[in-house]
Amino acid sequence: MRILVIGSGGREHAIAWKISQSKIVSKVYVFPGNAGIDVDNQLIRIQVSGSVSNEHIGKLVNENNIDMVVIGPEGFLVTGLVDYLKEKGLPVVGPTKAVAALEGSKIFSKVFMRDNGIPTANFEIFYDYEKACDYIKGSKFPIVIKANGLAGGKGVFVVETEEDALRTLHHIMKERTLGEAGSSVVIEEFMAGFEVSFIVLTDGRNIVRFPICQDYKNLSDSGKGPNTGGMGAHYPLPFLNENMLSKFEEEIVRPVLRGVENMGHVYKGFLYCGLMVSESGEARVLEFNCRLGDPETQLLMLLMKGDLLPLLEKACREDEFSLSEVTTEFWHQKAGLCVVASAKGYPGEARKGDVIEVNSHIEDLPDIKVFHSGTEILDGNLITSGGRVLTISGIGESKDVLRNVVYKKMSQVKFDGKHYRNDIGLTEIREK
Ligand code: AMP
Ligand code: GLY
């Protein structure tokens, strides 16, 4: 099969790398990709200058005789690339536009959860700034303010005081610092507990669970600093057990599939449930994403021992429900860890153009892999070109052993302004 992976992050590098090992693949293309794709002999990068429309991608698909498209980032899902390619009769992994509103609109997502009895934080919706201000003035803190639209992980604010909340609301709704994404907001109850990333692949009826892991969202150690797209991830999470996972599947994933069916659609593709798990093991949904996570994928693709491609192929067959559960042998029974190196300025405006030096032996261990995100090649040099620059991922016998290896490898990557967290895999992260 000839596969096109769409996206330019570490997630897409990891997906493409994994697919390239499939028994049934002939070529893997990545669009628009990054320098990691350029230097990987198994992968072919397609670059196009200027803006890219669905029609443009349709043309790339035809020109390269692509058999299946895998979409990494949410933007393409929310603007209907899946619908467009499906209309052309092309298999594509990911939900259609109507379903991707579960990620694209916080309001849609919260109302969907309420209507389908899916546990989540209590919330109110505001289209009007003054009404939102009044609500804040009568609230108990902390509360969480969420811009309705997509904001690249920057649209959610946990606020501790009334003053902070009013200032945040002003930024979102009046100054429109997040653009149209902030024309309406959800204000919700703060939930305490352990945050986990529960990701499944589904054909609409059958579910393949991926190892449940934890993403470190804050920029700096011990949960300090601003929220980011994710600075690292780890697996396993000893506070979870099989009973709890089955319950999450029954009480959260199944109702999503049923709810989508009731809307007259079928959920096909990845469903990422961001969950807050309480001390007693009850989970409530923080958010749904209609795609794999970044950097979770950089870890999950290493933990996956079996072939991803046949699963993807089954998950996108129209009017078919042939995806079957995988056995435990499908996954390495190992611990996993990944650490992200980010550029100066991230998660704000990140500096570009810093030259990256990577020790040539960095991938000399079989279970260690470097996945690129914001990298390019300029005049023969590898340079930074985005906020999250690369991820070093590893699997091994224990997180302690892995921490030594991954962090040693991290010290072999050098660029001005390089930042990473030192505490990935050290503690389970918990909201107090
Ligand atoms: P979201 O994009 O909705 O998942 O929010 C981004 C991050 O904000 C989450 O990963 C949590 O760390 C935090 N967060 C969001 N909603 C809540 C909530 N109701 N209670 C506590 N933390 C939250
Ligand atoms: N790492 C969080 C996300 O991909 O949304």
Side-chain angles (χ1 to χ4, degrees), residues 11 74 103 197 215 217 228-231 272 287 289 291-296 388:
R11 169 183 48 208
E74 59 278 13
E103 174 164 5
S197 307
D215 169 23
K217 291 247 159 69
T228 69
M231 295 301 291
Y272 168 135
E287 64 165 346
N289 296 320
R291 51 165 176 84
L292 281 165
D294 188 331
E296 289 93 330
R388 288 187 290 178

Side-chain angles (χ1 to χ4, degrees), residues 235-250:
Y235 172 86
L237 307 176
F239 59 92
L240 297 177
N241 59 43
E242 178 53 34
N243 281 349
M244 289 155 88
L245 300 187
S246 301
K247 208 164 150 227
F248 301 166
E249 183 174 320
E250 287 313 312

Side-chain angles (χ1 to χ4, degrees), residues 254-266:
R254 289 277 163 210
V256 172
L257 304 192
R258 279 196 296 272
V260 165
E261 217 167 317
N262 290 339
M263 283 160 51
H265 300 281
V266 181

Side-chain angles (χ1 to χ4, degrees), residues 106 110 120-122 143-146 153-158 188-193 195 215 217-218 227-228 272 274-276 284-289 431:
K106 297 277 186 205
K110 295 294 288 192
T120 189
N122 293 324
I143 53 168
V144 186
I145 307 181
K146 302 186 173 187
K154 292 172 192 160
V156 174
F157 304 85
V158 178
E188 71 179 33
E189 169 201 359
F190 176 82
M191 298 187 280
E195 194 173 335
D215 169 23
K217 291 247 159 69
N218 295 86
N227 241 338
T228 69
Y272 168 135
L275 305 180
M276 191 65 91
R284 288 198 284 169
V285 176
L286 286 160
E287 64 165 346
F288 289 125
N289 296 320
E431 297 278 343

